[in-house]
Amino acid sequence: MDAEITLKVLDLLVEVAEHHLRLGDAERAAEILALVLQYPLHETTQPRAAAMWDTLLITQCPRVIMDASARALELTLEDMVTLVLGGATE
């Protein structure tokens, strides 16, 4: 992926994670954020993503965080986009 497109995709994924948190789906948000935070982000996006992750670290059981982190190591950015888009059509 082109660098600028990658940054835009990451920004959108952070917004998707925010949406999942608002819906009460912290596990899905954790999966997305664990992957997103492995990449360099826009200067405005990074603090938002980090703050959401920090909140999840405090509010979720360690297993949720460990599972999300492990899954992030298995997935590519393209895989996550496919998963998110697949979930949007269900």
Side-chain angles (χ1 to χ4, degrees), residues 25-36:
D25 190 357
E27 289 182 30
R28 186 67 160 167
E31 285 183 352
I32 294 168
L33 290 170
L35 180 105
V36 165

Side-chain angles (χ1 to χ4, degrees), residues 17-68:
E18 285 176 322
H19 179 71
H20 281 288
L21 282 175
R22 283 193 298 275
L23 294 176
D25 190 357
E27 289 182 30
R28 186 67 160 167
E31 285 183 352
I32 294 168
L33 290 170
L35 180 105
V36 165
L37 287 168
Q38 295 181 35
Y39 291 86
L41 301 169
H42 279 124
E43 62 188 29
T44 57
T45 305
Q46 202 286 329
R48 282 180 28 231
M52 282 189 286
W53 182 254
D54 289 345
T55 299
L56 289 169
L57 289 174
I58 295 167
T59 61
Q60 299 303 302
C61 73
R63 180 46 104 198
V64 169
I65 301 303
M66 288 174 31
D67 289 349

